[in-house]
């Protein structure tokens, strides 16, 4: 296909570098410097997509981030797929492949379009809510086809071939937008010596000056842009970031910038020196001052048939002609309510194409551009508007009529004008999305017919973003803001001379949003407000008739502004229509809430490097290599790889665990417990803090002692458990369960910072600093004595004591605590010495048959003693009383601990709560399945009342039988009762409810 709409000369494209690309499998040609949109228009492509709801043919409307229709699927290979890319923001590159996101079997002929054409009038707002509710059983079927018919693009099915990253930056002044105001601000701030970042979303900086008719200093304004950019690029304190969108503005001037680093080069990042560079980078910027120079978006008019391909906003016409050398049609009709839109007709005329007419809604327009248009012989029809465009896949003609906005009517008989392109303009809307992200409410200004941003601390809003549109005003506005921002940040302000801008007179803009039609809105041909979501003027009028008055409710009922364009073109028009229908002013109607992101951001950019092992890293203990060398099988516990069991001579897991259990109960075993969370707690308020976060008492715990503690959430439910040792008067070491370590640290920090900032206490995770080796069994003391200089006498080193000394010549902390119920010691050494100490223990442990054991054996041993594991034997609904651990609760403590008040609620005391018990199956060889539901009878008639479920179950070589821990309703009162549970074989088995302690109920073995 030839570039039928490409001018022979002009534009900022590189005509010496033709580029071949594909759209909907058709091979087309463009030039370096084109966007996908400009190249499609040059090739005469009318339909780029089908609409969201009605599947109507849609063409390109705008030229920037505000484009609602040209949203395409990018990529050839599956791993290259990128959904919902705006053709107006995608630079053309060799080999680019793009497809429409809607349309079946294609955009030219779309069967769903017939549904929209025939049934569109029966699909008003709320159609899905009202139609597909009954029968409820059919919803899954309905949903399948509704989703198939809707949506924009698809996600890739293969792993992304590219990498993304984040970069943290600080600057004194961040300038968002590199149009005339932004460049002037950057120039002033840069020359003052402060650190400046300039971000602009376009492929090249310059903003509106890239397609401007204005002059600066008697020359085309583009020369000033190029000189200014060269000056800024030479400043070491200035960073220029083109292709970079400020997508989110957050508290304290924290701004996220998304830089498209290689998306203009290829489908995936091309390799440089054998490596693929980052495709997209998110800059996380903390700025002293932010200058918002985002400009304004032109509003189209709302008239019948305004979605037919060939309808444009007026400014896009000038953009495509002057920047890309593309005239997207042959015969133009311009419908406007302001002077500035005349630029489109003049540029069209100067390109050699035919301007059929300019239709101005004002009765007596008089301005510089108006006079120029008349002088060039262009017909100007006043007091009128395009009330309807007609055509199917391209505009063929328009109807023009006089309008009366006071009565919202047309007057006289419509005139037909033949054309293939319609440009419309209803004025400009300042781009204030970012200023609204932190909650600042926009304010309506009648003089500019637009919303401007509310006051935002640390932000200076300039140029079009605050309603200043004349070039001279925009430049001085930006310069003043740059000087002020630099001064606020301690810069040495230097006077900057601005060139004199060309002057022109412009008349007032008429407040025109929806164009009247001879038929009532609800019966007229569709007048689209939100082109992406198929929201019409009739939709908004119907919403107000159905009782919706808040603009936020109207937005949600009609889905106006819900699309990927965030209503950039349509929202103000929609608000104006709602205001008219409700008999209010636009100021009283208000605006909807803008939220991040300003434009869609790829998940890769949000994620950055935080993917795969960098998102969920695999953690290993200092003894990992020894475990591997000795044949350990591993299991994942949190992020850690922990030895699960150590098979020997072809043992399966059951045989290995049985052997390991026997070794611990009869001799001595050793466990790598380094993964247990370890939090160092220090400060004058440390002891009081522990009193408040644990259920039991800590005020009198002496140095050298260890205490077990339960931690509850503020709803009274057990959150974690572990031991905490007193290392000094105001110094403690807290241990947590492996999987909960990070959450517990976060929990402590949360309460200290938000509830008890008066307590001077500090927390540091030392989990990786210390390796922990637990030796357990009747011969543990004998083994440790051979490698340790600590007196291990029973009376001098009691259960729940800790001491410092040397183990295998290495400084160590040794804790006499037990998670097996046997005589046990936990040895903590600096992690770098762990392997040395571990090997020394094995060198001396041979005579005691020292046996390494893993987490599965640990679970069996702890369950035999009734020790809980938080998260397995608790499920977020268990109180200390439910666990039978009242002994670990200090109800008489002076300060209320977290969760204490919640335990006084009726529901935590009521009968029928599930409580932790032990289970002994009547058949000793049966091992209850974890999660098995417990019932009171063998009844199989549904429904069967459930009493509880099994939380932990194992086979015990010590007991020579299966056993389990379970939670059962009123379990503590049911001791000795028989209950029933279903086994993995489907059979119902019996079990007796017993104590949770199956071995050594008096604790004699651990106190030996």
């Amino acid at each position: 296909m030839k570039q039928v709409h490409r001018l022979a000369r002009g534009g900022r494209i590189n005509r010496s570098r033709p580029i071949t690309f594909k759209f909907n499998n058709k091979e087309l040609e463009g030039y370096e410097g084109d966007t996908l949109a400009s190249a499609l228009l040059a090739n005469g492509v009318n339909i780029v997509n089908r609409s969201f709801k009605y599947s109507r043919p849609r063409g390109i409307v705008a030229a920037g981030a505000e484009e609602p229709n040209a949203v395409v699927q990018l990529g050839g290979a599956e791993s290259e797929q990128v959904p919902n890319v705006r053709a107006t923001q995608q630079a053309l590159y060799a080999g680019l492949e793009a497809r429409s996101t809607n349309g079946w079997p294609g955009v030219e002929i779309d069967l769903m379009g017939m549904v929209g054409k025939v049934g569109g009038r029966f699909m008003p707002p709320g159609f899905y809510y009202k139609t597909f509710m009954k029968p409820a059983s059919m919803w899954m079927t309905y949903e399948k086809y509704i989703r198939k018919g809707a949506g924009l693009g698809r996600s890739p099915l293969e792993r992304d071939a590219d990498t993304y990253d984040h970069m943290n930056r600080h600057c004194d002044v961040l300038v968002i937008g590199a149009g005339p105001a932004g460049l002037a601000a950057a120039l002033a701030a840069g020359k003052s010596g402060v650190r400046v970042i300039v971000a602009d979303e376009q492929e090249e900086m310059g903003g509106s000056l890239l397609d401007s008719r204005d002059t600066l200093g008697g020359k085309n304004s583009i020369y000033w842009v190029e000189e200014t950019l060269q000056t800024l690029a030479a400043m070491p304190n200035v960073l220029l970031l083109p292709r970079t969108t400020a997508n989110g503005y957050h508290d304290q001037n924290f701004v996220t910038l998304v830089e498209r680093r290689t998306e203009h080069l290829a489908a995936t990042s091309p390799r440089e020196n054998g490596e693929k560079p980052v495709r997209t980078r998110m800059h996380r910027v903390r700025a002293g001052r932010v200058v918002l120079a985002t400009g304004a978006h032109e509003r189209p008019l709302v008239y019948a048939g305004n979605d037919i391909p060939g309808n444009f906003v007026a400014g896009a016409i000038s953009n495509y002609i002057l920047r890309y050398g593309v005239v997207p049609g042959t015969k133009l009709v311009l419908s406007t309510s302001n002077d500035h839109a005349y630029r489109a007709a003049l540029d069209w005329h100067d390109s050699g194409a035919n301007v059929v007419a300019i239709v101005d809604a004002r009765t007596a327009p008089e301005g510089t551009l108006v006079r120029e248009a008349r002088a060039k012989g262009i017909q100007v029809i006043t007091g009128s508007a395009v009330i309807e465009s007609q055509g199917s896949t391209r505009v063929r003609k328009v109807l023009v009529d006089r309008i009366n906005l006071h009565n919202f009517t047309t007057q006289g008989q419509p005139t037909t004008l033949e054309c293939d392109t319609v440009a419309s303009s209803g004025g400009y809307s300042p781009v204030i999305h970012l200023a609204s992200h932190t909650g600042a409410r926009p304010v309506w200004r009648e003089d500019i017919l637009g919303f401007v941003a509310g006051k935002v601390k640390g932000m200076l809003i300039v140029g079009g973003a605050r309603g200043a549109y004349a070039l001279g005003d925009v430049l001085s506005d930006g310069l003043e803001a740059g000087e002020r921002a630099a001064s606020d940040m301690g810069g040495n302000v230097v006077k900057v001379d601005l060139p004199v801008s060309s002057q022109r007179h412009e008349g007032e803009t008429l407040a025109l949003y929806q164009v009247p039609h001879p038929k009532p809105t609800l019966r007229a041909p569709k007048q689209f407000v939100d082109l992406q979501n198929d929201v019409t003027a009739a939709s908004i009028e119907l919403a107000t008739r159905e009782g919706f008055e808040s603009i936020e409710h109207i937005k949600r009922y009609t889905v106006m502004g819900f699309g990927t364009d965030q209503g950039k073109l349509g929202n103000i028009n929609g608000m104006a229509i709602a205001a008219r229908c409700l008999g209010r002013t636009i100021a009283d109607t208000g605006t909807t809430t803008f939220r991040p992101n300003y434009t869609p951001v790829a998940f890769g950019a949000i994620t950055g490097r935080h993917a795969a092992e960098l998102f969920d890293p695999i953690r290993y203990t200092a003894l990992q290599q020894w475990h591997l060398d000795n044949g350990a099988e591993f299991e994942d516990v949190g992020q850690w790889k922990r030895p699960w069991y150590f098979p020997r001579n072809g043992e399966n897991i059951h045989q290995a665990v049985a052997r390991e259990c026997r070794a611990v109960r009869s001799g001595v075993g050793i466990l790598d417990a380094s993964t247990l969370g370890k939090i160092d707690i220090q400060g004058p308020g440390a002891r009081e803090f522990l009193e408040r976060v644990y259920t039991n008492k800590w005020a009198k715990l002496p140095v050298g002692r260890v205490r077990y503690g339960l931690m509850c959430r503020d709803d009274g439910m057990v959150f974690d458990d572990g031991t905490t040792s007193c290392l000094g008067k105001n110094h403690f070491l807290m241990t947590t369960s492996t999987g909960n370590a990070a959450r517990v640290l976060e929990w402590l920090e949360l309460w200290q910072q938000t509830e008890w900032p008066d307590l001077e206490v500090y927390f540091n995770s030392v989990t990786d600093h210390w390796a922990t080796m637990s030796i357990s069994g009747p011969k543990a003391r004998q083994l440790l004595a051979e490698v340790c200089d600590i007196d291990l006498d029973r009376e001098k080193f009691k259960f729940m004591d800790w001491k410092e000394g040397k183990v295998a010549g290495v400084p160590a902390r040794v804790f006499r605590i037990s998670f097996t119920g046997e005589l046990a010691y936990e040895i903590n050494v600096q992690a770098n010495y762990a392997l040395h100490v571990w090997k020394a223990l094995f060198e001396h442990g041979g005579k005691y048959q020292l046996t390494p054991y893993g987490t599965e054996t640990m679970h069996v041993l702890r369950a035999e003693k009734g020790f809980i594991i938080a998260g397995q034997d608790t499920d977020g609904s268990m109180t200390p009383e439910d666990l039978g651990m009242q002994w670990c609760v200090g109800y008489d403590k002076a300060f209320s601990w977290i969760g204490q008040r919640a335990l006084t609620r009726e529901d935590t005391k009521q009968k029928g709560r599930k409580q932790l018990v032990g289970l002994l199956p009547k058949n000793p060889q049966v091992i209850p399945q974890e999660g098995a539901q417990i019932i009171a009878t063998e009844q199989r008639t549904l429904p069967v009342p459930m009493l509880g479920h099994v939380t932990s179950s194992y086979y015990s070589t010590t007991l020579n039988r299966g056993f389990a821990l379970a939670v059962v309703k009123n379990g503590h009162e049911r001791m000795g009762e028989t209950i029933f549970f279903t086994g993995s074989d489907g059979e119902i088995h019996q079990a007796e409810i017993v104590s949770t302690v199956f071995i050594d109920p008096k604790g004699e073995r651990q106190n030996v």
Side-chain angles (χ1 to χ4, degrees):
M1 184 182 288
K2 293 183 178 180
Q3 299 185 53
V4 293
H5 292 309
R6 183 79 72 178
L7 294 173
R9 64 183 63 85
R12 297 182 58 78
I13 54 174
N14 184 358
R15 295 174 185 265
S16 66
R17 294 287 301 275
I19 290 174
T20 301
F21 69 101
K22 286 184 179 180
F23 181 69
N24 289 335
N25 296 320
K26 292 182 180 178
E27 191 167 285
L28 305 171
E29 188 178 81
Y31 292 111
E32 183 181 77
D34 264 324
T35 63
L36 175 58
S38 65
L40 289 173
L41 290 172
N43 283 273
V45 176
N46 294 325
I47 304 175
V48 295
N49 226 331
R50 288 281 171 162
S51 71
F52 180 80
K53 184 175 179 180
Y54 301 121
S55 287
R56 291 167 68 100
R58 290 286 164 82
I60 294 166
V61 170
E66 69 275 23
E67 169 60 40
N69 294 337
V71 178
V72 300
Q73 183 85 19
L74 214 61
E78 187 60 37
S79 62
E80 300 171 353
Q81 294 301 306
V82 182
N84 304 334
V85 175
R86 271 185 178 72
T88 51
Q89 291 188 298
Q90 176 59 53
L92 200 66
Y93 56 78
L96 181 149
E97 293 186 42
R99 290 174 300 285
S100 304
T101 56
N102 274 353
W104 184 83
V107 289
E108 299 291 340
I109 301 174
D110 178 21
L111 297 183
M112 281 297 294
M114 294 301 298
V115 176
K117 195 169 185 178
V118 175
R121 61 180 297 184
F122 304 108
M123 299 166 66
F127 166 73
Y128 297 109
Y129 308 131
K130 298 172 181 177
T131 308
F132 296 107
M133 299 305 290
K134 295 179 181 179
S137 60
M138 286 294 292
W139 169 247
M140 298 302 289
T141 302
Y142 297 147
E143 184 183 34
K144 177 181 176 182
Y145 289 99
I146 291 171
R147 288 191 178 279
K148 188 173 182 178
L152 296 170
R154 65 176 184 85
S155 298
L157 301 177
E158 294 181 6
R159 186 186 178 99
D160 194 334
D162 286 307
T163 57
Y164 306 80
D165 71 6
H166 294 167
M167 184 172 285
N168 295 322
R169 292 189 181 275
H170 291 80
C171 66
D172 297 307
V173 179
L174 170 62
V175 180
I176 301 174
L183 290 178
L187 193 62
K191 287 193 172 184
S192 74
V194 299
R195 296 170 301 167
V196 180
I197 296 176
V198 185
D200 190 88
E201 66 181 353
Q202 297 197 64
E203 290 294 311
E204 57 179 331
M205 293 182 169
S208 62
L209 298 182
L210 296 175
D211 58 24
S212 175
R213 299 172 65 86
D214 293 309
T215 61
L216 288 172
K219 298 185 294 185
N220 190 303
S221 56
I222 197 63
Y223 291 108
W224 179 82
V225 171
E226 292 170 351
E227 291 171 6
T228 302
L229 288 174
Q230 288 175 4
T231 301
L232 291 172
M235 294 182 183
N237 58 315
V238 176
L239 174 65
L240 299 178
L241 293 175
R243 304 186 196 90
T244 302
T245 302
N247 67 294
Y249 176 80
H250 310 276
D251 292 336
Q252 286 82 49
N253 278 354
F254 177 68
V255 185
T256 49
L257 308 177
V258 177
E259 181 187 10
R260 304 182 301 279
R261 294 177 62 82
T262 67
E263 293 175 26
H264 61 295
L265 300 176
T268 63
S269 296
R271 292 189 176 275
E272 297 177 0
N273 299 320
E275 295 185 359
K276 286 173 71 72
V278 168
R279 181 173 179 81
T280 307
R281 172 173 291 160
M282 179 175 285
H283 300 266
R284 298 154 49 91
V285 180
R286 184 74 69 178
R289 292 290 182 271
V290 172
V291 177
L292 191 69
T294 45
H297 286 149
E298 190 171 21
R299 291 191 302 270
L301 295 173
V302 177
Y303 51 89
N306 62 336
D307 69 320
I308 298 170
N311 283 277
F312 292 84
V313 291
I317 296 292
S318 293
N319 186 283
Y320 287 118
I321 292 173
L322 298 179
R323 191 169 172 186
Y324 302 105
V326 173
V327 182
T330 57
K331 294 188 288 185
L332 172 74
V333 171
L334 169 67
S335 184
T336 182
S337 63
N338 62 83
D339 280 14
H340 199 258
Y342 277 67
R343 201 172 57 111
L346 292 168
D347 292 334
W348 188 280
H349 178 274
D350 292 349
S351 74
N354 179 22
V355 179
V356 177
I358 297 174
V359 186
D360 197 323
R362 299 170 297 177
T363 55
E366 188 62 40
T368 304
L369 295 179
V370 179
R371 290 193 295 271
E372 185 179 345
R374 284 174 169 154
K376 291 186 174 182
I378 299 174
Q379 179 186 10
V380 179
I381 305 172
T382 61
S384 305
V386 170
I387 64 169
E388 184 176 337
S389 70
Q390 297 179 349
S392 55
T393 60
R394 180 77 189 202
V395 172
R396 293 184 294 106
K397 59 185 176 181
V398 296
L399 302 182
V400 176
D401 202 354
R402 297 186 62 80
I403 58 174
N404 184 326
L405 294 184
H406 181 71
N407 297 323
F408 196 68
T409 58
T410 58
Q411 299 173 323
Q413 188 69 24
T415 300
T416 300
L417 300 177
E418 291 190 1
C419 62
D420 61 9
T421 307
V422 182
S424 73
S425 175
Y428 288 84
S429 300
V431 179
I432 57 173
H433 299 66
L434 292 170
S436 304
H437 284 176
T438 55
R441 297 298 298 179
V443 179
W444 178 257
R445 276 180 52 188
E446 195 64 32
D447 61 323
I448 64 167
L449 301 177
F451 282 98
V452 294
K455 189 173 182 180
V456 181
K457 185 178 180 180
M459 177 182 282
L460 304 172
I461 304 172
V462 299
R466 74 170 190 89
Y469 301 135
L471 180 56
D473 296 341
V474 169
L475 287 170
S476 59
D477 206 24
L479 186 70
E480 182 182 336
E483 291 174 345
R484 180 179 164 191
S487 177
D488 289 348
M489 300 308 297
N492 181 24
V493 176
V494 177
K495 180 176 174 56
V496 176
D497 293 323
L498 290 174
V500 177
S501 63
S502 54
Q503 300 291 318
R504 66 167 179 260
H505 168 69
E506 289 193 2
E508 287 190 7
T509 298
L510 180 68
L512 177 61
Y513 308 97
Q514 179 189 359
V515 177
H517 193 275
K519 295 180 181 179
T521 299
L522 291 172
R523 296 191 177 277
K526 287 183 170 57
Q527 302 163 306
F528 286 91
V529 176
D530 184 329
L531 289 163
Q532 189 167 104
N533 286 324
D534 274 347
V535 179
T536 63
S539 302
I540 297 171
E541 186 169 317
L542 183 62
T544 62
R545 289 190 179 191
E546 294 197 15
F548 293 97
E549 297 185 355
S550 164
I551 193 64
E552 292 286 7
H553 293 163
I554 293 171
K555 170 184 175 179
R556 282 155 180 77
Y557 190 61
T558 63
V559 302
M560 177 182 73
F562 265 33
T564 62
D565 65 335
Q566 292 270 293
K568 291 179 177 65
L569 288 185
N571 270 14
I572 300 299
N573 286 333
M575 294 163 201
I577 294 167
R580 178 179 60 77
C581 294
L582 294 169
R584 298 175 180 170
T585 65
I586 296 177
D588 290 337
T589 302
T591 183
T592 54
T593 302
F594 298 115
R595 297 183 177 88
N597 292 307
Y598 171 69
T599 53
V601 178
F603 282 116
I606 295 171
T607 303
R609 300 280 183 172
H610 305 295
E613 65 275 5
L614 294 181
F615 172 72
D616 190 16
I618 299 174
R619 301 174 71 181
Y620 303 100
T621 74
L623 301 170
Q624 173 70 10
Q625 190 58 51
W626 190 94
H627 301 322
L628 290 170
D629 293 342
N630 286 271
E633 295 289 338
F634 294 89
E635 72 166 336
D636 295 325
V637 182
Q639 294 177 329
W640 293 92
K641 288 290 185 184
R642 295 197 67 179
W644 190 14
Y645 61 98
F646 291 85
R648 291 180 181 172
N649 302 321
E651 290 176 326
N652 60 32
I653 182 173
H654 305 294
Q655 294 166 335
V657 169
R659 174 180 51 77
E660 292 170 9
C661 286
R662 285 193 295 268
V664 174
R665 291 293 184 213
S666 61
V668 61
I670 186 168
L671 171 77
D672 181 359
S674 303
T675 63
L676 291 176
K678 292 177 277 290
I679 302 171
D680 189 89
I681 303 174
Q682 299 188 45
R687 194 176 293 269
E688 176 62 23
F689 187 85
L690 292 175
E691 282 277 309
R692 299 182 186 185
V693 297
Y694 274 131
T695 62
N696 49 339
K697 297 180 179 180
W698 297 82
K700 297 181 180 179
L701 182 69
V703 176
R705 289 290 288 169
V706 184
R707 183 164 293 168
Y708 173 83
L710 278 180
M711 198 177 291
C712 291
R713 298 195 309 255
D714 43 4
D715 62 0
M717 306 304 156
V718 172
F719 167 47
D720 199 59
D721 70 333
T723 60
T724 295
S725 308
C726 184
L727 306 184
K729 180 182 178 182
N730 300 316
H731 189 187
F732 297 84
L733 179 67
M734 176 186 289
T735 62
T736 73
S737 56
T738 296
N740 259 348
R743 283 188 288 269
V744 170
L745 179 60
E746 182 181 27
W747 183 250
L748 302 181
E749 292 279 11
L750 173 69
W751 282 85
Q752 195 278 327
Q753 294 180 33
T754 63
E755 301 298 325
W756 307 315
D758 54 306
L759 293 181
E760 187 179 349
V761 58
Y762 306 94
F763 313 98
N764 283 289
S765 173
V766 293
T767 303
D768 294 288
H769 297 58
W770 295 90
T772 302
M773 294 155 273
S774 176
I775 56 173
S776 185
K779 299 177 182 178
R781 183 180 286 124
Q782 295 168 257
L783 170 60
L784 185 56
E786 294 192 19
V787 295
C788 178
D789 63 1
I790 298 173
D791 188 346
L792 303 179
D793 180 78
R794 173 183 176 181
E795 297 302 322
K796 294 180 180 179
F797 196 171
K798 297 180 180 180
F799 182 60
M800 300 302 276
D801 279 352
W802 78 272
K803 292 185 181 296
E804 284 187 322
K806 289 187 177 180
V807 177
V810 175
R813 293 171 180 165
V814 179
F815 303 81
R816 191 178 164 193
I817 52 182
S818 177
F819 197 47
T820 63
E822 298 293 335
L823 172 65
Y825 298 91
E826 286 190 3
I827 305 165
N828 279 17
V829 297
Q830 203 277 338
N832 291 342
Y833 297 100
L835 187 57
H836 164 75
V837 174
W838 183 271
K839 288 182 175 179
L841 288 168
F842 272 93
E843 287 173 8
H844 290 265
K847 63 177 75 71
Y848 305 110
Q849 288 77 51
L850 177 62
T851 301
Y853 66 95
T855 53
E856 188 65 19
T857 295
M858 177 194 74
H859 282 297
V860 176
L861 298 173
R862 66 90 195 171
E864 290 175 341
K865 279 292 294 179
F867 296 150
I868 67 166
I869 289 185
Q872 179 168 337
D873 299 306
T874 67
D875 61 359
S877 66
M878 305 293 290
T879 68
E881 287 89 346
D882 296 334
L883 296 172
M885 300 176 73
Q886 296 88 333
W887 56 268
C888 198
V889 178
Y891 290 105
D892 58 345
K893 290 201 289 185
F895 195 94
S896 174
W897 39 270
I898 299 173
Q900 180 177 6
R901 187 169 64 172
L903 293 180
T904 64
R905 300 195 318 260
E906 289 184 11
D907 65 295
T908 62
K909 300 292 184 183
Q910 68 183 359
K911 291 282 187 181
R913 288 190 63 82
K914 292 180 180 179
Q915 297 169 332
L916 188 69
V917 297
L919 293 182
L920 288 177
K922 294 297 180 71
N923 181 349
Q925 299 309 306
V926 169
I927 305 172
Q929 191 173 17
E930 290 182 359
Q933 294 295 310
I934 295 170
I935 55 180
T937 69
E938 293 184 85
Q939 153 193 353
R940 287 181 179 267
T941 305
L942 299 178
V944 181
M946 301 296 174
L947 295 180
H949 66 277
V950 175
T951 62
S952 300
S953 62
Y954 310 95
Y955 186 85
S956 168
T957 56
T958 305
L959 299 174
N960 198 26
R961 61 171 301 124
F963 74 104
L965 297 175
V967 289
V968 177
K969 291 181 180 178
N970 296 326
H972 296 160
E973 299 175 6
R974 292 176 177 265
M975 291 297 160
E977 288 188 15
T978 297
I979 53 84
F980 301 86
F981 64 90
T982 303
S984 57
D985 57 1
E987 294 296 319
I988 293 181
H989 302 279
Q990 300 182 38
E992 180 184 354
I993 296 178
V994 298
S995 166
T996 56
V997 182
F998 298 90
I999 291 176
D1000 190 23
K1002 294 182 180 180
E1004 294 171 344
R1005 299 170 76 143
Q1006 63 191 19
N1007 284 290
V1008 68

